[in-house]
Structure formats: structure tokens, C-alpha cells
Amino acid sequence: MALIAGAALALALSGCASSDKTAGSDGSSSPLSGKIVWADFGGPTNKARYTTYFDDFTKQTGVKVVSEVESDAVANTMLTGGKGAYDAIHVGLDTVYRYKANIAALDAGVARDTNLPANIRDYAFGTFYVGHVQAYLTATFPGGGPQTWADFFDVAKFPGKRGWMGSPGSYDSACEIAELASGIAPDKLYPLNFDVCTKKLNELRPNMVFYTSYPQIQQLLTSKTAAVVAGPSGQAFALKNQGIDVTISWNQAIVAPNVMTIPASAPDMKNIQALAKVFNEPQRQAAFAKATGYGPGNPDAFTSMDDATKAVIVNSPTHTQIVHQNSEERAKQTDDLLAWYTKWLAG
């Protein structure tokens, strides 16, 4: 797969050579050079980006990819029209909808991630899908554990504490989960009804154990502090990689797209547009999925995955009962959503 992907990278770059060269002062063209400043949240996901995308790109072009842990202050400044050092910023798709006016459109030579809605594909690349799921040690429920979000809230039928998101900025799909647990149909979730969400979350609050960073999800499960945890599927995937028998329920798993976006004021625009061409390659997206457990933005990537990888990918064609976040609708409620969850956490 690596050889195929490497060849695809060389072809992608050579096939768009005119856009990957800049005009020198004498009118001649010069190859790409310099760097790209890439802002994401570090950890295994960032490491996987190097092995899957960045390292080969640097070998082919000489352009160094410098990763920084994303600063909200810098990202917000650039997304609202100001200047900053970032060439690419890791965001939720709702952020792209909200700040599209200050985001650069992808060059024509950049293939689009067709799993994204058509009205936003020009402004996002490097898509990966996170599943907001419930997970538990298989041994905790030998007769079968919770499947739906209503089951998650049913501590009488499935006893034990529930690991839950305890940071205001990490509300993830908290309201969607509460609405689904309340019996609201997936196609009726938006606009989010904060009164319904508050009422449902209050029912479970006495049995909640809050985490404030995602790695704590693994600690809550392995220590048996929580019987079931709600959170990103990648955390349960990491436990599986450690040989721990964890069950992930894909029934009503909420699919949330994460993407990279290029601020209009990006300092190294030609370099980042060249790198963006690499990210749609199905073999590379499949390799990234295998390394991280996150789903691809290009549906063709599934043809390059083995069955074991597909089984832990939230937007795999085999998962037929998933629920997709509506990022465009969420974008309209971003401020209200954060204010609501901050207030609810405070009690």
C-alpha cells in the first residue's frame, strides 16, 4: 500500500506541476520550498499524519511540515479574518460553515472528499469521521451490554456509572445523545432543543463520572470507575489496540466530521494547496483509518481496507444504524450550544 500511495503522490504532484511552482523574480519558475505550519491537537492522530501524508510529501517537494498544537486564540483570529502563522487548521465542519468567508477555497487540482456535503467540499480537506459512541469492557455485561442511547441512560437495566464529557468546550454530541435517548427521531434532532437535553441529562447526572481529557476515557474503563463511557470512538479503538476486550456500540453512533481548512490569510498558500492534493488519495486515507480508527472522507478508501479495519470505522458501509451530525444546522447554534453546556456543567 505504501508503494502505491507513494507513486500516487508523485503523480499527483507532477500532474499539477504548474500550480506547484512559483514565479521567480526573473520570471522563471521555481519549485516549492520552505514550510507549512499545520495546527492540530497532536497525539497519535498527528503522528499518523506524518507517516501517512507528511513524510512522503516532504521527500517529494522539500517542503517541511511543522506541526503546532492548535491555539484557540490564533485559530479564531485567522478564521475571523485576521493574520496568523497557521496554514492549515483542524476544525469541526460546523466551524467551516460558520467562517467560510475567511477560508480559502481549494485549488481546482485538489480532489474533493465526496463524503462531505456538496456545499462545503471546496473549503475542507483531510476529512476524518469521529464516532461519538458508547463503549464498555465486554466482561462488564456478559449477557450483552447497552446498544442504544436509551440503554446508556438506563442504569437499572445496565448498572454502573457513566463516563461523560466534563469540559465545556468538549460537549461533542451531548445534546444529540440526550435527544436520541429521549426518543427523538434522528431526522428531528435539529434545531437542538436545549430544554429536552437538560431534562434528560439531569436524569443521569447522579450516575455520571466526568472526564476533562479524552485519555481519561481509557482510565475510567480500565479502572472500572465507569461501567460505560460516552466519547470518541478512537479512545475505545486505542484500548482494543492494547489487547483489551472492549465493546463499541455502533447503534446510533453519532458521526461527526473533522476536517482541515486553509485560512484565507495562510502565509504559505502554494505549499498548503499542494499538500492538500495528497489527502484525498484513497490508499492514504485507508492507511490513516487503520492507524487511527477514524473514518475516511473519500468513500473509495473502503476498497483499500481489510474487514478488521472496517469493523472499527464509524462510517463504514457495514454500520447501517449510525446518525450523522448536521454540521450546517449546528453552526447556527454554536454559541448557544457552548453557553448551554457550560451552564449545565456548572449545575
Side-chain angles (χ1 to χ4, degrees):
M1 183 181 293
L3 290 174
I4 295 173
L9 169 59
L11 184 63
L13 293 175
S14 63
C16 302
S18 62
S19 63
D20 286 350
K21 294 179 179 294
T22 55
S25 57
D26 60 355
S28 62
S29 63
S30 58
L32 293 169
S33 63
K35 66 179 182 179
I36 288 167
V37 178
W38 180 280
D40 64 17
F41 300 102
T45 302
N46 178 261
K47 291 180 182 178
R49 282 171 168 151
Y50 274 92
T51 57
T52 309
Y53 303 108
F54 299 164
D55 290 344
D56 283 347
F57 177 79
T58 296
K59 288 177 185 177
Q60 290 284 341
T61 66
V63 175
K64 184 178 181 180
V65 181
V66 179
S67 290
E68 293 190 7
V69 175
E70 189 168 319
S71 160
D72 287 344
V74 177
N76 290 340
T77 295
M78 299 189 77
L79 292 172
T80 53
K83 295 186 180 299
Y86 296 161
D87 296 305
I89 302 173
H90 179 162
V91 295
L93 194 60
D94 50 347
T95 298
V96 184
Y97 276 109
R98 192 176 187 192
Y99 297 112
K100 191 164 70 171
N102 298 312
I103 292 171
L106 299 174
D107 284 351
V110 179
R112 273 42 172 180
D113 280 338
T114 56
N115 272 340
L116 292 177
N119 66 350
I120 205 70
R121 290 175 194 166
D122 291 346
Y123 300 91
F125 72 99
T127 306
F128 68 92
Y129 283 87
V130 177
H132 295 153
V133 301
Q134 55 181 311
Y136 53 88
L137 299 180
T138 305
T140 301
F141 300 104
Q147 297 185 41
T148 66
W149 290 113
D151 290 343
F152 181 86
F153 279 72
D154 191 344
V155 293
K157 185 176 181 180
F158 302 102
K161 296 292 185 180
R162 301 308 197 244
W164 191 259
M165 53 220 77
S167 174
S170 297
Y171 48 78
D172 290 334
S173 297
C175 198
E176 286 93 337
I177 289 170
E179 288 187 327
L180 289 168
S182 299
I184 295 176
D187 62 349
K188 303 294 183 183
L189 296 179
Y190 303 94
L192 297 170
N193 187 323
F194 299 129
D195 289 337
V196 169
C197 296
T198 296
K199 180 180 179 181
K200 195 64 181 177
L201 293 185
N202 283 344
E203 292 178 12
L204 192 62
R205 188 192 282 269
N207 291 288
M208 285 180 173
V209 179
F210 293 104
Y211 59 83
T212 55
S213 67
Y214 290 130
Q216 291 174 358
I217 289 174
Q218 298 177 42
Q219 297 166 12
L220 288 174
L221 284 176
T222 56
S223 67
K224 301 183 180 179
T225 302
V228 194
V229 174
S233 54
Q235 294 300 318
F237 175 79
L239 286 177
K240 280 181 170 289
N241 276 350
Q242 297 170 37
I244 297 172
D245 189 3
V246 177
T247 295
I248 302 172
S249 177
W250 301 108
N251 190 344
Q252 296 187 325
I254 300 174
V255 183
N258 278 229
V259 299
M260 298 303 299
T261 199
I262 303 171
S265 59
D268 304 291
M269 185 62 73
K270 289 185 180 295
N271 288 346
I272 188 58
Q273 292 280 1
L275 177 59
K277 294 172 186 172
V278 178
F279 270 78
N280 188 263
E281 295 171 14
Q283 296 93 342
R284 290 187 184 276
Q285 289 202 11
F288 183 79
K290 187 176 182 66
T292 63
Y294 294 132
N298 182 349
D300 291 341
F302 286 110
T303 64
S304 297
M305 289 183 204
D306 56 40
D307 290 341
T309 301
K310 290 178 185 177
V312 295
I313 301 302
V314 66
N315 61 329
S316 169
T318 60
H319 296 151
T320 59
Q321 294 177 299
I322 57 177
V323 177
H324 287 269
Q325 270 191 1
N326 186 323
S327 299
E328 189 168 13
E329 287 300 313
R330 271 184 138 236
K332 301 172 185 177
Q333 292 185 275
T334 300
D335 290 338
D336 291 339
L337 183 56
L338 178 58
W340 161 75
Y341 199 64
T342 301
K343 181 179 179 180
W344 181 81
L345 281 176

